[in-house]
Amino acid sequence: MTDLVELNVSEALDLLNKKEISAVELAKAHLAEMEKGRFLNAYITETPERALADAEASDKRRADGIARPLEGIAIANKDLYCTKGILTTAASKILSKFVPTYESTVSQKLIDAGTVMLGKVNTDQFAMGGSTMTSYFGVSKNPWADSNGEYTLVPGGSSGGSAAAVSAGLCMAATGTDTGGSIRQPASFCGVTGIKPTYGRCSRWGIVAFASSLDQAGPIARSVKDCALLLEQMAGYDPKDSTSVNKGVPNYVAALGKDIKGKKIGVPKEYLMEGINPDVKATWDKGIRLLKEAGAEIVEVSMPHTKYALPVYYIVACAEASSNLSRYDGVRFTTRVEGKTLDELYKNTRTDGFGDEVIRRILLGTFVLSAGFYDAYYIRAQRVRRLVYNDFKKVFDEVDALLTPAAPTPALSYEAMKNMSPVDVYLGDVFTTPASLAGVPALSLPVGVSKEGLPIGLQVIGKHFDEETVFQVADVLEKSAGFQLKPHRVKGA
Ligand code: GLN
């Protein structure tokens, strides 16, 4: 019998449409796997009753001949998406009891497309981090074991719960968000695929805000095609988000299966940085070779401001976060910790409710926005952000897409990360932050394996609103790379 938790979204849709499987069977198989996989701590909230009710309704719609595009597909939502009537924590203590009375636009679109929600998955607190270690609900585990067969590795972050759940078969696909790499880096660490679309492609309405000029929603799934299927449903203009762009959403799946002969793929020389893991470098070389063999023209390009992207990102993201998070004051949304005065109430609530990393970023952000330092840091960062953007603009006059690593290393262990300074942790975002600052679409897919047998992802970056080329190139790379290993087979759960 088909192992239902190993099916890709596209395969499952096929079997559902042929009535060989039902949405209820699919949901039940995943709920059972979620139970077995609880040690991974991928979910913050499981919603089995909702899943079964959704699945039953899906089977009925299919029987009635009114199936929607993703009818019956079992997914999880990052716990940053507000879900009506269902706990939404942003993995924080301050929102640990927050039950929204509304549904985010993107999760609503996925409901309207027929998906079945299995639950809400773990993330770094307020999406700040790259390991899920800043979550108030504890770290998630990477389903890929270390060389001793132990689960000691981080799944990456911030969408680490999403990537771990997709990788381990605890859902078929999941939503993520990406501000500076939070879809792409966990996808790379867990051997799955994820895309951060162009800024403005998906509505941010109803997603807990981190840094509003950078935040984007996107899918994490087990294939390029699945990401295309999901993104097509998630994307689109929303009058409730003034930064969402009123542009038609193309049929992304139609971009797949086309050859890339004559396409120009840029390889930015500045991405070859000190500290890049040799297996990551080897995987990058492999990707370049595979695209060349597929008929693409490989062009070495220069993006001179790449090295400034990381510091600029941390100034801009922290500045915006300090402003966005001011709303958690003990009066609205949150769990209140009383004080004698209003100021004390704020102070007590926020001291109790925010984790260390969140507080660090609020302090940093407040500092760079403060009167004496605004010009020196914030304004200057905005200017340099424009230079990073110009690098992309210029290079895209010459090439159709870029190929780079997604992260400088494969998944690290908790132990290693615990002993790293915050700045060393931030350095893990070197390859993902430039595309975030420029707002261009970027996808990470597994292409190689490290000496220890861990997955390594590569990043395909495209022009604004040209997700189609990104999918097309990634699809060719996926087929030629032949990345097959799956961790839940390894652990035999
Ligand atoms: N790791 C990055 C950070 O901590 C990116 C986070 C994100 O994209 N949400 O800011």
Side-chain angles (χ1 to χ4, degrees):
M1 201 196 119
T2 328
D3 194 344
L4 297 179
V5 300
E6 292 201 355
L7 291 173
N8 285 348
V9 172
S10 55
E11 296 162 347
L13 281 173
D14 198 37
L15 294 174
L16 283 163
N17 288 335
K18 287 200 238 146
K19 310 255 162 62
E20 287 180 25
I21 59 170
S22 71
V24 169
E25 282 166 0
L26 208 52
K28 281 189 176 157
H30 282 90
L31 291 170
E33 196 73 5
M34 280 156 67
E35 228 169 89
K36 276 198 247 165
R38 279 219 185 106
F39 73 99
L40 296 171
N41 196 33
Y43 280 82
I44 291 178
T45 305
E46 297 183 6
T47 54
E49 295 87 12
R50 153 93 180 256
L52 289 173
D54 282 0
E56 262 170 44
S58 264
D59 283 335
K60 177 145 189 349
R61 285 186 80 104
R62 188 165 263 109
D64 291 346
I66 47 168
R68 297 162 292 181
L70 298 174
E71 198 68 66
I73 296 302
I75 64 153
N77 278 315
K78 183 174 182 176
D79 210 15
L80 212 61
Y81 286 71
C82 287
T83 40
K84 190 174 173 182
I86 291 168
L87 188 67
T88 299
T89 67
S92 67
K93 183 174 184 191
I94 208 159
L95 289 180
S96 58
K97 298 196 175 75
F98 175 53
V99 178
T101 52
Y102 44 85
E103 185 79 29
S104 83
T105 298
V106 168
S107 54
Q108 184 63 49
K109 277 170 166 289
L110 286 169
I111 294 172
D112 295 342
T115 59
V116 167
M117 189 178 80
L118 298 164
K120 307 287 296 286
V121 276
N122 200 12
T123 157
D124 280 291
Q125 189 166 149
F126 286 100
M128 296 173 185
S131 61
T132 70
M133 284 167 79
T134 71
S135 168
Y136 174 63
F137 298 92
V139 71
S140 295
K141 291 183 173 171
N142 193 320
W144 291 78
D146 64 18
S147 31
N148 297 320
E150 310 278 349
Y151 296 97
T152 58
L153 305 172
V154 300
S158 64
S159 312
S162 309
V166 170
S167 170
L170 313 186
C171 63
M172 311 192 71
T175 54
T177 64
D178 190 312
T179 303
S182 276
I183 287 176
R184 292 161 283 161
Q185 182 256 27
S188 177
F189 278 18
C190 293
V192 292
T193 303
I195 179 167
K196 175 201 91 73
T198 309
Y199 181 79
R201 232 338 157 197
C202 290
S203 169
R204 291 182 294 106
W205 193 83
I207 299 174
V208 175
F210 164 13
S212 304
S213 77
L214 297 155
D215 296 346
Q216 257 303 285
I220 294 182
R222 288 197 288 262
S223 73
V224 173
K225 186 172 182 187
D226 286 3
C227 282
L229 282 165
L230 265 284
L231 184 61
E232 207 171 307
Q233 301 307 320
M234 294 165 71
Y237 173 62
D238 175 13
K240 288 192 283 199
D241 171 7
S242 59
T243 63
S244 83
V245 176
N246 199 348
K247 237 178 172 357
V249 179
N251 178 343
Y252 292 131
V253 176
L256 309 179
K258 293 188 187 153
D259 74 48
I260 53 163
K261 286 201 182 69
K263 285 256 180 241
K264 289 191 174 161
I265 308 293
V267 175
K269 63 170 192 247
E270 288 80 5
Y271 280 61
L272 186 55
M273 294 178 188
E274 236 180 90
I276 182 171
N277 174 292
D279 296 338
V280 172
K281 169 77 173 65
T283 301
W284 193 14
D285 291 340
K286 173 182 170 188
I288 294 169
R289 177 174 53 76
L290 291 174
L291 291 181
K292 205 170 171 179
E293 282 168 12
E297 187 187 329
I298 304 294
V299 187
E300 189 189 85
V301 293
S302 173
M303 304 183 76
H305 300 94
T306 301
K307 66 169 181 271
Y308 303 114
L310 191 76
V312 165
Y313 166 82
Y314 274 95
I315 291 170
V316 172
C318 292
E320 293 183 20
S322 72
S323 160
N324 271 327
L325 270 61
S326 65
R327 73 190 64 168
Y328 307 111
D329 54 7
V331 180
R332 296 159 297 175
F333 305 107
T334 51
T335 323
R336 170 182 301 201
V337 182
E338 297 290 350
K340 282 194 226 69
T341 62
L342 187 61
D343 273 352
E344 253 188 38
L345 163 83
Y346 291 159
K347 200 168 136 191
N348 293 346
T349 301
R350 290 165 66 83
T351 305
D352 176 70
F354 289 138
D356 289 349
E357 183 60 27
V358 175
I359 291 176
R360 177 178 297 118
R361 293 193 190 204
I362 293 174
L363 288 174
L364 246 166
T366 308
F367 174 77
V368 300
L369 290 175
S370 60
F373 299 98
Y374 186 77
D375 288 344
Y377 291 104
Y378 185 67
I379 294 292
R380 186 171 295 185
Q382 296 285 39
R383 293 205 176 111
V384 181
R385 179 176 185 175
R386 170 58 67 163
L387 298 176
V388 172
Y389 172 95
N390 287 346
D391 276 358
F392 280 95
K393 242 190 135 33
K394 205 161 143 255
V395 90
F396 281 133
D397 284 340
E398 218 189 311
V399 299
D400 300 295
L402 298 164
L403 184 74
T404 78
T409 61
L412 301 172
S413 70
Y414 307 107
E415 269 320 294
M417 290 204 77
K418 254 200 296 201
N419 297 322
M420 282 161 73
S421 72
V423 172
D424 283 340
V425 172
Y426 298 168
L427 285 171
D429 303 324
V430 273
F431 296 136
T432 45
T433 47
S436 299
L437 291 173
V440 291
L443 176 149
S444 166
L445 78 158
V447 172
V449 182
S450 74
K451 278 183 211 65
E452 298 76 31
L454 299 175
I456 295 175
L458 291 184
Q459 179 177 222
V460 180
I461 309 175
K463 299 176 187 173
H464 287 106
F465 295 100
D466 189 16
E467 283 83 6
E468 284 162 290
T469 301
V470 172
F471 281 130
Q472 185 187 349
V473 173
D475 178 50
V476 169
L477 196 52
E478 177 182 68
K479 285 181 181 133
S480 52
F483 183 90
Q484 286 284 336
L485 299 168
K486 286 184 185 164
H488 52 281
R489 292 215 181 110
V490 175
K491 79 178 160 67

